[in-house]
Amino acid sequence: MLTQAAPDPFPRPRESGDHTMNSASCFSPSAHTTAASSAATSAGSSSNTSACVRTQPAGHMETQMCFPKQQDRRKKRVIWGIEVAEELQWKGWELGKETTKKLVLKNRSLKIQKMKYRPPKTKFFFTVIPQPILLSPGITFMLPIIFRPMEEKEYVDQLWFEKAEGMFHVDLRASLPCHKLICPPSLQLPVCAVGDMAEAWFCLSNVGDLPTFFNWEFPSPFQMIPATGLLESGLACRIKVTLQPLMAVIYEAQATCWFGDSNTQKTSIQLQAMAKCSQLLVSIKQKRPEDQDAEGSQKVLNFGSVAVGCTAERQIRLYNPSAVSAPFRIEVSPDVLPKDQAFSCPTAQGVVHPGEKIHVSVFFRPETLDTRTMDYFSITPSGCASQTLLKVVGFCTGPAVSLQHYCVNFNWINLGEHPEQLLWIENKADCTAYFQFAIDCQESVFSISPSFGTLVGKTRLTLRCAFQPAHPIIYFRRVVCLVHHQDPLFLDLMGTCLSESTKPAILRPQHLSWYRTHLARGLVLYPPDILGAMLKERQLEQDTNGALLIPSEDPEYTPAQQYPTVPPMTEYFCDGTSDTAIFPPPVSIEPVEVDFGACPGPQTPSPVPLCLMNHTKGKITVAWTRRADCPFWVTPDTCYVPPLKSTALRLHFQPPHPNCLCAAELEAFAIYKVLQSYSNIEEDCTVCPSWCLTLRARGHSYHAALEHPIPQYFLDAPKLFAAVPSGEPSYRSLLLVNKGSMLLTVSLAPKSSLDIVLRPSSGLVAPGAHQIFLICTYPKGNFWRQHIFFLQFNFCPQYLKKLPISMPKPAWLLGCWEGARGSVLPPLAPGGEHAEPGGAAAAEAGRL
C-alpha cells in the first residue's frame, strides 16, 4: 500500500490576465457505472490557448503583430473526490531515452480514499509495481510514469484506476512535433454603409510545436491583413478583416487559412457582415431670403456682397438619419473655362455618424472687382447614392475711397513761401484699401504727405498738401490717386507764385472749368492774347457760363460742345503720354521714360536727348523743377519754345555713389509766355492753367561682377480679367509691397505680351512702401486668351516675375457659355486659345 502525506510539490500556476478567444471544452470521462458518468459531468475544465489582446493599433499600419501565448496548463478534473489530470503528454522526446512524468493525485474529499491501478498495456509506458493507494483528506500522491520510445511515431496508452465507486483512466500520449494553427470559428463585423469600410480583428494562434507559414484565402469584398506570414510556435498574431461593400446586402463567407508542410492543413473562420445604404440630408444653416433651400438635388447658397480681399463664411448642415455612418466627400465641380477660385471648402471629406449633425463651412474670398461669381459644390455620400449639388453665388465689391475735396487751391504766394493745406481721404467700405498718389513728392513743387498708405474700413486719414514753387509762374497739376481694386481718383493742385519782378495772372478754379470747355471746343491751342482779340472782333462769343465759343452759322441752333464725362480709367490711360489721348496734348515731350541702365563709372554717363514740342499757336515758357541732390536733371532748366516748334533738351544722370539704384520722376511746367504778366490779360476767361510734363528716369551704378540686391516683396496680382463687351477695355489693379530693407525698382520687361498695358510701367518702391499698378487690355476675337507679362526687379534680368492673366470671352458670349456649362469645351486656337464652337454647340450657345 502506498500513501503520501507530503505537501503538494506542484503549486498551481498563477492565473493570467490575458484574454482567451477559444471556448472551454468540457471533459466527459469514460465511466463503467452510471454514478461515474454523473460525477464526470460535474467536472469542469479550463484552457488558455491564445493570449491575444484585441486592441486596434494607432493609425493604419498594416503590420503583423505577434506576441507570446501562455503555456497550456494540464487539464484537471475531480472524480469521486480525487483530483487528477485528464492526460499526460510527452513532447520533444528522443529515441531510446527514458523520460519520466509524475501523475499527481490529490484527495479533495473529507474521508480516506482507497484505490488501486493497472499498469499501461504497452511496453513503452510503465510505472512502479501496482499497489493499493491510501490518501488521507488533502494529501497528494505522485505516481511516476516512465516513457521509453523505440521508434518515431505517436504513442497512446491509458492508466486505469479502480475505486469502490467505479473506474476511471488517465490518457498517456507521446506526440511528434506538428503544425497547428487555431482561430475563432466566426467573426461578426460591424454594420457598414455602402461605399464605406468596416473592420474587425481576431487572433491567429500557433499551438503547434513548429514555426508555421500561413496563407489566407478569402472572398471579395473581404480583405485580410496580413494575408500571409510566419508564426513562431507559442505565438499569436492579430489579423485585420476589412469590408468595403458595394451593395446593401448581408455578407457571409468563409475564409480559409492554409498552413503546414506544402500547405496541406487548414483552419477556417466564418465572416459575417451587413451593409446598408447611408443617407445624408443637406440644408443651409441660418438661411437668408436670397438662399434657395427647397427639397431637391440643387440648393443655392448666396453670400451677397463681399468686399474684395475679404473672406465671408457660410455654413451648411449635414444630417444623417440612417442607422449607419455616412462618409461623404465635397468636390468643386470641374469647369472648362478659366476662373478665379473665389469659393473654397476646407472639408473635402468626412463622416457623419448615425443620427448626428455636422456643420461644414464654405468660404468666399473674391478677387475680381464688381463681378458676380458663381460656382458649384457636389456633396456625395458613400456609394454615390444621392448627390446634392450646392450652387454658391457671391458679388464682389471694392473699397469706397473718396477725397474731401478734389481741388486744392493755394491761390497766390510770394516766391520763397511754403504754404500747406489739409485734406482728408476716407474709406466708406468695410474692406482695407491701399492708396497711392502718383507723384514724386521730392521732385515736385507739390507734395502730399503721406503719399501712400492703407485705410481700414470706415476710417479717415488726414493728408497734408504743400506747395513749394521754384519759379514765378502759374502751377497746375492733376494728380491721380491710385486705389487697389477701385477706379482712380483725381486731385487738382493749383497755385500761382509771384516775385517782385514777375506778376503772372492769378489762376482760380473757375479757370479750370473754362479750360476744359475750351479743350472740347478746340480753343486751347490759341494763347490768351489771340483769344482776347478774337472776342473783341466778335469772332468768339461767351456762353452763359462765361466760356468762349465759336458762333454758329447754321440757322438751326446747335448746342455748344461741352467737356465730356470721361471714366476715370479712360482718363488715366489716355492721358496723351502714349499713342492714345482723349484730346491732343498742347505740349509734349519725347521720350517720357528713360533707362540709363548700368552706369558704374568712373565716366559720367552720356546725356540722353529729349525733344519738347509746342503744338500751340503761341509762345510757351518751360520751367523744370529740380532738387539739388537729385541724380537726374534736364538742361536747360528753363526755355522758350516758339509756336508749332520744338526744342532739344538733355537729360543727365550722375549716380550719387557706387552700387546704388536710382529712379525719379522729373517735373516741368509749360505756360503761355503771355501769362507771365497779368497786365497782358484783358479777358479773364482766356486765362488757362499750365501744362505739367513728367519724365521718368532710372539707372544704377552696379558693376557687372556685383550682385544686385535680392528683391523681397509681396505681390497681389490678378489671374483673370473681368469679362467686358467686345471692343471695350478691361482693367485690373496690381499691388506690390516692398518687404525688404532696401530700395526696390520694378519695370515692365520688354518680352511681355503686347496686348497688356501696364501703368505706370516702372517705379521705385521704398522699404515698407507699396506701388499700385493698373493693367488694361482689349479683348480680341471670341477666344479665351492668356496673356503673360514679366516684371523685372532691381535692373537685373535674373529677377523676373512671370505673371499670367487670362482674358475671358466678351460678356455676352461668356453668358452663353455659363448657361451651357455641360457643353464640350471648344478646341484650342493657335497660341493656347479656345476657338469658337461650331455646329450644334454654337447654335445651342446662341440659343442660351
Side-chain angles (χ1 to χ4, degrees):
M1 181 181 298
L2 299 176
T3 60
Q4 181 71 28
D8 189 353
F10 296 94
R12 304 179 70 179
R14 203 167 37 180
E15 293 292 338
S16 171
D18 292 338
H19 174 68
T20 61
M21 296 192 65
N22 280 4
S23 58
S25 60
C26 296
F27 168 73
S28 299
S30 300
H32 287 227
T33 62
T34 305
S37 299
S38 61
T41 56
S42 63
S45 65
S46 63
S47 67
N48 291 325
T49 58
S50 60
C52 175
V53 182
R54 195 174 179 186
T55 58
Q56 183 175 348
H60 298 277
M61 298 180 62
E62 311 296 350
T63 57
Q64 178 178 348
M65 301 182 62
C66 299
F67 47 91
K69 189 174 69 66
Q70 183 181 1
Q71 295 295 331
D72 291 347
R73 297 182 300 176
R74 297 176 182 176
K75 299 179 181 180
K76 295 183 180 182
R77 64 225 169 129
V78 178
I79 301 179
W80 300 304
I82 300 298
E83 180 182 285
V84 65
E86 296 180 8
E87 183 183 62
L88 284 184
Q89 290 189 2
W90 279 262
K91 294 183 179 182
W93 43 267
E94 299 178 10
L95 288 177
K97 183 177 180 181
E98 294 184 355
T99 306
T100 302
K101 286 184 176 290
K102 294 182 179 181
L103 180 63
V104 179
L105 297 95
K106 186 173 183 178
N107 185 1
R108 292 289 189 178
S109 66
L110 300 178
K111 63 179 182 178
I112 298 176
Q113 296 280 359
K114 181 179 180 181
M115 70 184 77
K116 57 183 179 179
Y117 61 92
R118 298 176 186 177
K121 295 180 180 180
T122 64
K123 62 180 179 179
F124 306 105
F125 297 96
F126 56 92
T127 183
V128 296
I129 299 174
Q131 299 181 24
I133 301 174
L134 291 177
L135 287 178
S136 300
I139 298 302
T140 300
F141 172 75
M142 290 180 291
L143 179 64
I145 308 297
I146 303 172
F147 170 59
R148 182 169 55 193
M150 302 302 294
E151 55 183 314
E152 288 190 359
K153 67 175 185 178
E154 187 171 350
Y155 296 90
V156 179
D157 207 337
Q158 291 178 333
L159 181 64
W160 285 89
F161 292 88
E162 183 178 353
K163 290 176 86 269
E165 294 87 346
M167 299 179 64
F168 65 92
H169 69 269
V170 175
D171 293 331
L172 306 178
R173 185 182 303 274
S175 58
L176 293 171
C178 64
H179 298 278
K180 187 175 182 182
L181 300 181
I182 61 172
C183 64
S186 63
L187 181 66
Q188 179 70 47
L189 277 75
V191 180
C192 178
V194 175
D196 195 12
M197 185 180 71
E199 62 182 35
W201 298 75
F202 70 91
C203 286
L204 179 66
S205 304
N206 186 353
V207 296
D209 306 304
L210 300 174
T212 303
F213 284 97
F214 64 88
N215 182 25
W216 284 98
E217 290 184 356
F218 47 85
S220 179
F222 291 98
Q223 294 285 334
M224 305 187 74
I225 304 172
T228 61
L230 173 64
L231 195 56
E232 297 288 342
S233 176
L235 298 182
C237 72
R238 294 185 180 91
I239 303 296
K240 179 182 179 180
V241 182
T242 63
L243 171 69
Q244 289 184 310
L246 301 178
M247 296 183 296
V249 296
I250 296 177
Y251 292 89
E252 189 168 357
Q254 179 174 291
T256 303
C257 179
W258 296 94
F259 63 92
D261 296 332
S262 301
N263 283 344
T264 55
Q265 297 175 255
K266 68 177 181 178
T267 183
S268 62
I269 182 172
Q270 194 74 15
L271 304 177
Q272 299 173 349
M274 178 183 295
K276 293 186 177 182
C277 290
S278 61
Q279 186 179 5
L280 203 60
L281 301 181
V282 182
S283 60
I284 298 176
K285 184 181 179 183
Q286 297 178 351
K287 290 187 294 183
R288 300 176 181 175
E290 58 269 22
D291 296 329
Q292 297 179 16
D293 195 15
E295 294 295 332
S297 60
Q298 177 173 321
K299 301 178 183 295
V300 178
L301 183 64
N302 197 322
F303 282 84
S305 297
V306 178
V308 62
C310 297
T311 303
E313 178 184 3
R314 296 288 305 274
Q315 287 188 333
I316 57 175
R317 183 186 297 108
L318 305 181
Y319 170 60
N320 179 12
S322 59
V324 293
S325 296
F328 66 90
R329 66 179 185 273
I330 301 179
E331 299 174 340
V332 180
S333 298
D335 201 334
V336 296
L337 302 179
K339 62 180 180 180
D340 281 342
Q341 298 296 334
F343 298 97
S344 63
C345 181
T347 306
Q349 58 186 7
V351 178
V352 185
H353 298 290
E356 291 188 358
K357 299 178 182 178
I358 68 170
H359 297 95
V360 176
S361 296
V362 181
F363 297 95
F364 177 45
R365 184 181 177 85
E367 297 293 342
T368 305
L369 190 64
D370 297 331
T371 302
R372 181 177 180 268
T373 308
M374 180 177 60
D375 214 331
Y376 293 86
F377 288 91
S378 59
I379 305 168
T380 309
S382 61
C384 301
S386 57
Q387 184 185 62
T388 301
L389 195 62
L390 179 66
K391 179 180 177 180
V392 286
V393 181
F395 186 79
C396 176
T397 60
V401 178
S402 60
L403 297 172
Q404 179 186 10
H405 306 294
Y406 293 91
C407 180
V408 176
N409 182 17
F410 289 95
N411 210 336
W412 65 270
I413 65 170
N414 294 318
L415 185 64
E417 296 179 353
H418 305 148
E420 292 185 353
Q421 291 192 26
L422 299 182
L423 174 75
W424 51 252
I425 183 172
E426 182 181 17
N427 180 17
K428 297 180 180 179
D430 295 327
C431 61
T432 300
Y434 292 83
F435 72 91
Q436 176 195 1
F437 286 92
I439 182 174
D440 190 343
C441 297
Q442 293 182 347
E443 306 300 330
S444 174
V445 296
F446 298 104
S447 63
I448 303 174
S449 178
S451 60
F452 67 91
T454 57
L455 285 171
V456 298
K458 310 293 185 181
T459 57
R460 179 183 295 179
L461 178 65
T462 300
L463 305 176
R464 189 178 299 274
C465 302
F467 180 39
Q468 187 175 356
H471 303 279
I473 58 174
I474 293 174
Y475 289 92
F476 169 72
R477 179 166 180 175
R478 189 169 174 84
V479 180
V480 60
C481 177
L482 302 177
V483 183
H484 191 36
H485 296 306
Q486 182 185 316
D487 287 349
L489 306 174
F490 291 92
L491 177 63
D492 292 332
L493 301 175
M494 61 170 48
T496 305
C497 180
L498 309 179
S499 67
E500 294 182 358
S501 58
T502 305
K503 308 291 183 181
I506 307 300
L507 184 66
R508 294 181 290 107
Q510 180 61 46
H511 294 142
L512 296 182
S513 177
W514 287 335
Y515 173 79
R516 292 188 175 96
T517 303
H518 295 165
L519 189 64
R521 297 172 181 176
L523 299 177
V524 297
L525 299 181
Y526 297 92
D529 53 345
I530 296 180
L531 292 177
M534 294 175 65
L535 185 60
K536 283 185 178 182
E537 297 173 359
R538 303 293 183 178
Q539 298 180 12
L540 295 178
E541 296 179 354
Q542 286 183 284
D543 59 14
T544 56
N545 295 324
L548 300 176
L549 60 86
I550 301 176
S552 177
E553 298 178 356
D554 191 351
E556 297 182 1
Y557 176 74
T558 303
Q561 292 184 342
Q562 301 293 329
Y563 189 80
T565 301
V566 181
M569 284 290 188
T570 304
E571 181 178 354
Y572 179 67
F573 278 92
C574 302
D575 59 351
T577 56
S578 59
D579 296 336
T580 58
I582 302 174
F583 297 101
V587 182
S588 63
I589 186 172
E590 290 183 1
V592 295
E593 189 166 346
V594 176
D595 185 2
F596 283 89
C599 302
Q603 295 83 8
T604 302
S606 300
V608 175
L610 305 175
C611 180
L612 192 147
M613 291 161 283
N614 179 10
H615 306 285
T616 70
K617 298 179 181 181
K619 189 175 184 180
I620 63 171
T621 300
V622 181
W624 286 88
T625 304
R626 185 195 174 187
R627 176 169 49 92
D629 55 349
C630 180
F632 304 96
W633 69 95
V634 175
T635 57
D637 58 351
T638 59
C639 63
Y640 297 98
V641 185
L644 302 177
K645 300 294 183 180
S646 62
T647 185
L649 305 175
R650 295 290 183 268
L651 175 63
H652 302 265
F653 174 44
Q654 180 61 53
H657 51 81
N659 305 325
C660 67
L661 304 174
C662 299
E665 181 189 65
L666 303 183
E667 174 189 73
F669 291 92
I671 63 169
Y672 283 115
K673 187 177 183 299
V674 70
L675 290 174
Q676 286 189 289
S677 176
Y678 71 93
S679 60
N680 297 331
I681 307 302
E682 296 182 358
E683 297 293 338
D684 191 42
C685 62
T686 61
V687 176
C688 68
S690 59
W691 299 287
C692 182
L693 306 174
T694 57
L695 171 65
R696 287 183 173 270
R698 61 179 181 269
H700 67 91
S701 57
Y702 280 87
H703 291 271
L706 293 179
E707 182 180 357
H708 293 235
I710 300 176
Q712 300 178 10
Y713 58 88
F714 164 76
L715 189 63
D716 183 14
K719 298 180 178 59
L720 186 70
F721 276 109
V724 295
S726 180
E728 294 189 7
S730 182
Y731 303 99
R732 294 300 300 269
S733 62
L734 183 149
L735 175 67
L736 174 67
V737 182
N738 185 0
K739 293 291 187 178
S741 58
M742 302 180 65
L743 288 174
L744 175 68
T745 66
V746 58
S747 59
L748 183 66
K751 63 178 181 178
S752 300
S753 173
L754 298 179
D755 295 328
I756 291 289
V757 179
L758 182 71
R759 294 287 305 273
S761 59
S762 64
L764 178 67
V765 189
H770 61 252
Q771 174 71 53
I772 299 174
F773 297 90
L774 296 183
I775 312 170
C776 174
T777 188
Y778 283 81
K780 296 180 180 179
N782 297 326
F783 305 115
W784 282 86
R785 299 174 180 267
Q786 186 181 63
H787 305 297
I788 297 178
F789 65 100
F790 299 85
L791 293 181
Q792 178 177 308
F793 297 95
N794 294 344
F795 302 101
C796 183
Q798 297 178 353
Y799 300 147
L800 281 180
K801 176 63 177 180
K802 179 180 178 181
L803 297 173
I805 181 169
S806 297
M807 181 67 229
K809 295 172 179 287
W812 66 268
L813 190 59
L814 182 65
C816 298
W817 278 106
E818 189 63 37
R821 290 181 57 134
S823 304
V824 179
L825 179 66
L828 285 174
E833 303 163 349
H834 290 287
E836 268 306 289
E844 180 66 15
R847 183 183 65 82
L848 293 173

